[in-house]
């Protein structure tokens, strides 16, 4: 079964690049959101929930950690992988329950390997 | 500027001096007219002697007070003119005492009590004052007073008083006569008095011009005092008999001149320093407040600049990130020509370099914004372990094995907080990503070392086995903005930024190639950070 990924980033170009990268890697893009509120609404509407969420930190309305907290409330089994240019967010993101943190610009191979590893882990 | 003010008058313009001179002239004319109209027979001897003695006592008190202030301040400030004037007024005070005591009617009659002897003491007092004021006005004192100067002046003054006293008391016949035997002045006496008037008037003008030139009010007061003294001599020149009102007027002018000098001096030496101190303190408070406001402004500007840099770096990273991703996707395709591949590789390499540069710059700015008083301690052992995990998590394609050597204490606390954590992250990331094979081995050692001054540091040595640094990296590892470097060279050196961050926290970072040893050839990054105690010692100056 094709693994599904949900993307949250305020940069359209970044979303497109990630979508292309994921499609090439054999993933299905379950959806994308450009700000915090949209992300929470869209995630709740996706059924079944995506296997992995790629989350930016600096977002309009709500930041990535706040969005993750909301998503984890709805789906405690969600796996949120942060991809952000803001390295200072790494520690708080991990402490808040992020499954990993990649600093932009990231290595494509490393990021894909991490997404694959997270998606392959059987959800509890 | 604190201005000298006596009796509410500030001697700023000639008008004040002219007004004072005119007042003295009116007084003098009045006394002279009164004296001419009403002979001295109207003044009884006891009344006259009492008034004369009282005025003399006042003049003596003023003289000795001037001596006290001038002498003390002259010794304290090593000022020769002050010492000289102090000595002069002590001498003058003694002459006035002799003048008062030798005046007929004060003590029992004897050969030492006469109008002639008394007049000599008065005249020598005037000559001494005039000589001292003119000497100070015209002679350039080029050096500071030494401790021996005050002793020499005191001794010289004593000898001078003794000689004058002996000459007047015991060799009176050798001196030209001042009085005509009936209490009036001889022609010589009048000539001397007119000379004294001229000298005091000249001195008055000289001191006024000095006051104007130096913008110093004390000199203007001296000028006024000398002008009053000139009227004293003018009054004395009219001296016609023993109990003459002009004589009393002369002493009145004399006392007034001493009083002006003393009050000005008192104000200058005692009151003005306090006023200056008060003004200075107010100025300091204003300066401090201004400095505080400026510092706050600078801090706010710094924070704003840092926030701008932060946003800028964030946005640049967001711009670069898709370029890197698309370049990698391009390179992962199979249909590229050799030339296309080459260009894509260059785009990828330069984009990554740009991203690294911007994020490093941002980290450095954030670290340097922290003052020593706000440094946070970090356990380097935990940080290294945590960053190792992060590395494994973000580089799942690499098999990273590590060998750790940690201190016996189990922890190694050093300043730097998350900034040092970021440095260790960057170092590990560079070592991992710059290693071509999928499997790599790292040796991490944390140990306590001492510098030449005995200060203790935690040294983290991270060694990668198998690949050495290029000569370019070794050369550029410590320089961020070396103006001598070639265009585009060294700007993105991660180690240079990391080194600067470590330096900010009192440590150092250096890189080296290791040729052999137990672990084999490879590269090594060394980070030294002060222990908590050393950090306190280094930054104590900033923290207190």
């Amino acid at each position: 079964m094709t693994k599904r990924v949900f993307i949250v980033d305020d940069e359209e170009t970044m979303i497109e690049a990630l979508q292309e990268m994921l499609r090439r890697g054999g993933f299905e893009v379950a959806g994308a959101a450009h700000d915090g509120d949209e992300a929470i609404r869209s995630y709740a509407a996706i059924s079944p929930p995506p296997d992995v969420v790629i989350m930016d930190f600096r977002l309009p309305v709500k930041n990535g950690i706040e969005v993750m907290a909301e998503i984890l409330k709805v789906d405690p089994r969600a796996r949120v992988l942060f991809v952000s240019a803001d390295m200072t967010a790494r520690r708080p993101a991990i402490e808040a329950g992020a499954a990993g943190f990649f600093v932009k610009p990231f290595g494509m191979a490393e990021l894909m390997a991490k997404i694959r590893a997270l998606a392959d882990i059987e959800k509890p | 500027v604190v201005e000298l003010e006596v009796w509410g008058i500030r001697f700023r313009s000639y008008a004040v001096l002219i007004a004072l001179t005119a007042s003295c002239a009116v007084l003098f004319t009045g006394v002279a007219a009164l004296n001419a109209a009403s002979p001295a027979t109207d003044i009884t001897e006891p009344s006259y002697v009492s008034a004369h003695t009282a005025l003399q006592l006042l003049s003596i008190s003023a003289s000795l007070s001037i001596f006290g202030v001038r002498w003390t301040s002259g010794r304290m400030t090593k000022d020769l003119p002050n010492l000289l004037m102090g000595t002069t007024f002590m001498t003058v005070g003694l002459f006035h005492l002799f003048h008062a005591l030798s005046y007929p009617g004060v003590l029992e009659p004897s050969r030492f009590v006469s109008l002639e002897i008394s007049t000599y003491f008065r005249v020598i007092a005037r000559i001494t004052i005039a000589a001292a004021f003119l000497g100070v006005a015209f002679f350039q004192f080029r050096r500071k007073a030494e401790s021996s100067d005050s002793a020499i002046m005191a001794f010289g003054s004593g000898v001078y008083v003794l000689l004058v006293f002996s000459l007047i008391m015991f060799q009176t016949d050798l001196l030209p006569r001042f009085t005509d035997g009936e209490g009036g002045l001889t022609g010589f006496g009048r000539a001397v008095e007119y000379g004294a008037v001229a000298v005091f008037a000249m001195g008055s003008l000289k001191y006024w011009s000095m006051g104007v030139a130096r913008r110093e009010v004390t000199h203007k007061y001296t000028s006024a005092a000398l002008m009053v003294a000139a009227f004293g001599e003018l009054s004395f020149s009219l001296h016609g008999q023993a109990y003459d009102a002009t004589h009393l007027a002369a002493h009145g002018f004399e006392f007034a001149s001493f009083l002006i000098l003393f009050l000005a001096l008192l104000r200058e030496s005692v009151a003005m320093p306090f006023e200056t101190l008060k003004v200075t303190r107010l100025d300091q408070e204003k300066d401090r407040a201004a400095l505080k406001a400026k510092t706050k402004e600078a801090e706010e500007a710094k924070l704003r600049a840092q926030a701008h840099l932060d946003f800028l770096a964030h946005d640049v990273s967001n711009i670069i990130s898709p370029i890197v991703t698309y370049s990698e996707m391009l390179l992962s395709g199979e249909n590229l020509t050799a030339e296309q591949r080459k260009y894509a590789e260059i785009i990828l390499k330069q984009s990554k370099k740009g991203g690294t540069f911007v994020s490093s710059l941002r980290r450095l700015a954030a670290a340097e914004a922290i003052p020593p008083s706000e440094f946070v301690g970090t356990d380097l052992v935990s940080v290294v372990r945590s960053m190792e995990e992060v590395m494994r998590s973000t580089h799942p394609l690499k098999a990273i094995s590590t060998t750790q050597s940690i201190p016996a204490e189990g922890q190694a606390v050093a300043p730097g907080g998350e900034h040092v954590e970021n440095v260790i992250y960057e170092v590990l990331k560079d070592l991992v990503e710059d290693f071509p094979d999928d499997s790599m081995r790292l040796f991490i050692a944390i140990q306590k070392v001492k510098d030449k001054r005995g200060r203790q540091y935690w040294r983290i040595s991270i060694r990668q086995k198998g690949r050495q640094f290029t000569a370019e990296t070794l050369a550029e590892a410590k320089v961020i903005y070396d103006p001598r470097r070639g265009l585009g060279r060294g700007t993105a050196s991660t180690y240079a930024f990391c080194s600067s961050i470590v330096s900010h926290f009192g440590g150092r970072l250096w890189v080296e190639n290791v040729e052999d040893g137990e672990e084999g050839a490879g590269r090594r990054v060394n980070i030294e950070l002060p222990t908590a105690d050393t950090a306190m010692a280094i930054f104590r100056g900033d923290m207190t």
Side-chain angles (χ1 to χ4, degrees):
Chain A
M1 189 181 168
T2 309
K3 301 291 181 183
R4 299 161 72 244
V5 180
F6 179 56
I7 305 167
V8 186
D9 200 305
D10 57 335
E11 286 285 328
E12 187 57 36
T13 317
M14 194 66 233
I15 291 176
E16 286 170 7
L18 286 168
Q19 282 174 334
E20 183 63 26
M21 181 189 83
L22 289 165
R23 269 197 288 271
R24 285 184 176 215
F27 289 91
E28 180 190 332
V29 178
H34 299 80
D35 65 55
D37 277 351
E38 188 191 353
I40 295 163
R41 279 197 313 273
S42 301
Y43 188 89
I46 298 169
S47 183
D51 297 286
V52 177
V53 178
I54 294 178
M55 181 75 73
D56 191 9
F57 172 66
R58 285 195 192 181
L59 293 168
V61 190
K62 283 191 170 89
N63 70 40
I65 295 175
E66 290 168 333
V67 175
M68 178 176 69
E70 293 292 324
I71 288 174
L72 288 174
K73 272 187 205 166
V74 178
D75 177 12
R77 299 177 306 164
R79 289 172 188 131
V80 183
L81 179 62
F82 271 77
V83 178
S84 171
D86 197 340
M87 198 186 168
T88 56
R90 185 181 53 77
R91 187 195 280 265
I94 297 292
E95 284 171 359
F101 195 102
F102 278 72
V103 181
K104 288 177 187 173
F106 50 84
M108 190 179 79
E110 282 80 17
L111 182 63
M112 285 300 292
K114 183 71 181 177
I115 294 168
R116 197 162 281 123
L118 288 175
D120 286 344
I121 298 169
E122 201 58 40
K123 284 191 178 179
Chain B
V1 175
V2 178
E3 289 194 343
L4 189 61
E5 185 182 305
V6 174
W7 291 330
I9 302 169
R10 290 179 187 175
F11 279 70
R12 280 185 186 161
S13 67
Y14 285 105
V16 178
L17 185 64
I18 291 166
L20 184 71
T21 309
S23 305
C24 289
V26 168
L27 194 63
F28 163 74
T29 310
V31 171
L34 189 71
N35 198 47
S38 175
T41 45
D42 288 354
I43 307 172
T44 61
E45 183 188 332
S47 303
Y48 184 90
V49 169
S50 300
H52 181 267
T53 308
L55 279 169
Q56 282 307 294
L57 287 175
L58 288 172
S59 294
I60 291 164
S61 306
S63 291
L64 294 180
S65 301
I66 293 171
F67 155 70
V69 178
R70 287 272 194 185
W71 179 264
T72 311
S73 64
R75 278 174 65 99
M76 287 176 78
T77 59
K78 300 185 187 302
D79 184 56
L80 272 174
N82 256 340
L83 272 181
L84 182 64
M85 293 311 295
T87 316
T88 300
F89 274 90
M90 184 187 72
T91 311
V92 166
L94 288 173
F95 287 153
H96 274 270
L97 180 66
F98 299 151
H99 169 72
L101 293 176
S102 60
Y103 204 82
V106 176
L107 298 176
E108 290 295 315
S110 73
R111 62 179 287 260
F112 300 117
V113 174
S114 75
L115 193 61
E116 183 69 12
I117 285 174
S118 180
T119 305
Y120 280 135
F121 279 120
R122 187 191 175 280
V123 169
I124 199 72
R126 312 319 292 156
I127 291 171
T128 306
I129 286 177
F133 273 111
L134 289 183
V136 169
F138 288 102
F139 187 76
Q140 297 287 320
F141 293 87
R142 296 186 187 282
R143 68 172 178 86
K144 287 271 181 191
E146 292 166 9
S147 56
S148 59
D149 288 330
S150 52
I152 290 168
M153 283 191 197
F155 179 73
S157 168
V159 170
Y160 174 63
V161 170
L162 199 61
L163 279 175
V164 168
F165 183 82
S166 305
L167 188 66
I168 293 172
M169 287 296 195
F170 304 110
Q171 300 294 330
T172 319
D173 295 341
L174 292 177
L175 300 170
R177 290 196 67 79
F178 256 78
T179 54
D180 57 10
E182 294 175 6
L185 291 178
T186 61
F188 173 74
R190 284 188 209 289
V192 169
E193 284 304 310
Y194 292 145
V197 171
V199 168
F200 279 123
M202 190 176 74
S204 174
L205 293 173
K206 172 68 180 168
Y207 271 89
W208 188 269
S209 65
M210 282 162 63
V212 170
R214 297 180 194 174
R215 294 186 171 194
E216 209 211 73
V217 189
T218 317
H219 281 78
K220 292 185 177 179
Y221 277 94
T222 306
S223 166
L226 291 175
M227 184 55 75
V228 173
F231 276 97
E233 296 314 298
L234 201 58
S235 291
F236 197 75
S237 70
L238 298 178
H239 197 282
Q241 48 196 323
Y243 308 127
D244 200 320
T246 53
H247 188 169
L248 286 181
H251 283 310
F253 280 122
E254 195 176 273
F255 170 64
S257 74
F258 283 7
L259 198 60
I260 291 171
L261 280 176
F262 175 67
L263 287 174
L265 200 60
L266 194 68
R267 189 115 181 93
E268 184 192 64
S269 308
V270 181
M272 270 181 69
F274 284 104
E275 284 174 25
T276 309
L277 200 66
K278 194 176 162 188
V279 170
T280 309
R281 200 167 48 225
L282 285 173
D283 285 348
Q284 278 178 343
E285 277 169 17
K286 277 184 197 165
D287 288 348
R288 236 192 326 263
L291 187 67
K292 205 174 169 183
K294 287 268 179 202
T295 308
K296 195 181 169 194
E297 206 176 290
E299 277 170 3
E300 283 170 358
K302 191 176 176 181
L303 286 174
R304 274 199 304 276
Q306 203 189 322
H308 289 157
L309 178 65
D310 200 38
F311 275 101
L312 184 74
H314 178 264
D315 289 353
V316 171
S317 294
N318 270 339
I319 291 167
I320 290 173
S321 201
I323 300 174
V324 171
T325 306
Y326 280 118
S327 303
E328 287 190 316
M329 282 193 273
L330 202 60
L331 285 166
S332 66
E334 291 172 359
N335 300 326
L336 288 181
T337 64
E339 194 177 43
Q340 286 169 334
R341 183 168 293 282
K342 181 186 161 192
Y343 293 162
E345 278 172 352
I346 291 170
I347 292 169
L348 179 63
K349 185 184 165 194
Q350 291 303 105
S351 301
K352 277 187 171 173
K353 227 175 167 181
T356 306
F357 174 72
V358 170
S359 56
S360 297
L361 195 61
R362 185 180 176 196
R363 276 195 289 275
L364 177 60
E368 287 187 338
I370 301 172
S373 57
E374 291 174 22
F375 283 179
V376 175
T378 311
D379 176 21
L380 300 174
V381 175
S382 304
V383 168
V384 166
R385 285 178 176 159
S386 156
M387 289 304 107
E388 229 184 282
E389 285 310 309
V390 170
M391 243 359 86
R392 287 203 177 92
S393 166
T394 52
H395 297 81
L397 299 177
K398 296 251 184 189
I400 307 166
S401 66
T402 55
T403 302
Q404 284 186 8
S405 164
I406 60 168
E409 293 93 326
Q411 61 174 12
V413 178
E418 62 174 309
H419 302 282
V420 164
E421 193 175 298
N422 287 340
V423 165
I424 293 168
Y425 169 83
E426 284 298 326
V427 169
L428 286 171
K429 185 169 169 263
D430 188 77
L431 290 175
V432 169
E433 291 183 0
D434 202 35
F435 195 76
D437 302 339
D438 290 341
S439 173
M440 67 178 301
R441 190 164 179 76
L442 290 172
F443 300 89
I444 302 172
I446 303 174
Q447 59 179 319
K448 199 179 264 182
V449 294
K450 277 185 184 175
D451 70 2
K452 286 177 186 171
R453 284 185 288 179
R455 287 177 171 172
Q456 293 186 320
Y457 290 80
W458 289 114
R459 181 186 291 170
I460 309 168
S461 296
I462 307 173
R463 183 173 172 176
Q464 176 216 68
K465 183 185 175 187
R467 190 170 193 194
Q468 295 197 312
F469 285 120
T470 62
E472 187 185 359
T473 305
L474 286 173
E476 294 170 350
K478 290 207 75 151
V479 185
I480 301 176
Y481 299 114
D482 184 355
R484 296 162 300 177
R485 68 173 168 72
L487 186 66
R489 290 168 67 86
T491 45
S493 171
T494 300
Y495 293 114
F497 282 103
C498 288
S499 173
S500 298
I501 293 172
V502 171
S503 296
H504 181 71
F505 293 104
R508 66 185 183 124
L509 179 150
W510 71 102
V511 299
E512 59 192 342
N513 283 329
V514 184
E515 296 301 335
D516 46 31
E518 196 182 325
E519 296 92 3
R523 58 173 73 172
R524 182 159 56 204
V525 181
N526 303 288
I527 302 165
E528 266 183 21
L529 283 159
T531 60
D533 290 343
T534 302
M536 286 292 284
I538 292 173
F539 298 111
R540 192 168 288 135
D542 293 318
M543 295 171 88
T544 52

